[in-house]
Amino acid sequence: MTHPFLDLAPLSAEHFASIEDRVARLMDTSQDVVIMQGEALLPLEGAIRAAAGPGTVALNVITGPYGQTFGDWLRDCGATVHDLAVPFHTAVTAEQVGQALAEHPEIDFVSLVHAEAATGNTNPVAEIGEVVRAHGALFYLDAVASIAAEPVLPDAWGVDLCVIGAQKAMGGPAGVSAVSVSARAWERMAANPNAPRHSYLSLLDWKQRWVDGGRKALLHAPAQLEMLALEACVERIESEGLPSLMARHASAAAATRAGTIALGGGLEPYVHEAGDAAPVATTLRAPAGTDARELVARALAVDPVLPLVAGGGALAQEMIRVNHYGPQATRGVVQSSLAALGGALAEAGSEVDLEGARKAVAAAWE
């Protein structure tokens, strides 16, 4: 018997390279782009361990849980780390980054998350990039949640290491990811004696055996189905048009925010300012005295396919996340999500305005 997912011809190096080229065009970058054969945590960790070591002095910006993880990796590499933490309901500013760099002129590495899907905020990378570039530090960016939901421009922003994943706004597979690498980032890695080599984490292995070899021979057997899914995902984005896809995410975020405010019942946007809110997902603060997990469970009992989850870790009781990304970035999904949350609130005894929320969503959708 045959199956469309089985008995496929091996993925050639030429085909693999062509997918990398399409991802590079999506990122509007002339830097080397390497597609790594694992979820985005692979290049996120690999890039830090390749570029950082005992002599590194890093500024690690924390606007959510991933920023905290990056600080842990940097310290594990032996780097001296200065954390810049801001409340999760806001975004960091270029001025705050500039002040931290001025206070510690020895900083030579800056790590930042573009959009924190877990907390629902997004950071002004273009402005921060100007400050980092003027300082001369290497700039590492996690754009896993932001790619395809908002502009991601490594070259224009001076980003040296930019990691993306396809599983969120791109609407693609989770099992492969990509990183764009600047020439000076490659130089930093090559000069780092602690950079992983002959390792699944190693970016230098890809540089030496893949990029420098003209992309003629793959390091190992690729995750074929995931690579084909990534190719199909990029084809779909190219067909819709990246500007249209980003506009759809922006509309979903604006409509979720407006609908939540109109709904009432004590539910409110978690990120205070709309300009700090990420288009990939909207986080909401549960009403006082209400457990967000119970509210989400009631809502999902009505429609289990809605993209609603409670916050993670310490935020589990107070935060609800509406994951309106990829195929879920539609007005219908936003309407249904707020209707289900409104019904759950009403069941718990809160007064809500379902019709007002519906009208607010319709008015906010562009």
Side-chain angles (χ1 to χ4, degrees), residues 245 248-250 252 279 323-334 365:
L245 179 57
R248 184 155 56 83
H249 281 83
N323 291 325
H324 47 64
Y325 53 70
Q328 306 283 13
T330 68
R331 183 164 62 179
V333 165
V334 172
W365 194 275

Side-chain angles (χ1 to χ4, degrees), residues 110-193:
V110 175
S111 52
L112 174 71
V113 178
H114 187 183
E116 283 267 14
T119 49
N121 54 32
T122 192
N123 294 301
V125 183
E127 291 85 353
I128 292 170
E130 290 184 12
V131 174
V132 175
R133 186 163 54 246
H135 185 81
L138 203 74
F139 193 11
Y140 163 100
L141 184 70
D142 172 356
V144 174
S146 55
I147 185 69
E150 55 187 306
V152 173
L153 303 168
D155 293 10
W157 296 343
V159 178
D160 296 288
L161 292 160
C162 183
V163 177
I164 68 167
Q167 70 268 33
K168 289 187 168 65
M170 288 177 65
V176 288
S177 47
V179 54
S180 65
V181 187
S182 72
R184 69 177 192 148
W186 284 130
E187 292 171 2
R188 176 78 69 94
M189 295 179 202
N192 180 10

Side-chain angles (χ1 to χ4, degrees), residues 19-20 22-27 33 35 40 143-150 152 163-174 176-178 226-227 229-238 240 242 245-246 248-249 279-280 324-329:
I19 300 172
E20 283 186 336
R22 293 174 84 165
V23 172
R25 288 194 293 273
L26 180 69
M27 300 172 71
V33 170
I35 297 179
V144 174
S146 55
I147 185 69
E150 55 187 306
V152 173
V163 177
I164 68 167
Q167 70 268 33
K168 289 187 168 65
M170 288 177 65
V176 288
S177 47
E226 297 281 353
M227 288 296 295
L230 176 62
E231 182 179 42
C233 163
V234 174
E235 286 177 353
R236 186 170 60 186
I237 292 172
E238 292 170 347
E240 178 176 356
L242 185 57
L245 179 57
M246 290 190 293
R248 184 155 56 83
H249 281 83
V280 69
H324 47 64
Y325 53 70
Q328 306 283 13

Side-chain angles (χ1 to χ4, degrees), residues 299-308 328 333 337:
L300 292 178
V302 175
D303 189 347
V305 302
L306 291 174
L308 300 172
Q328 306 283 13
V333 165
S337 296

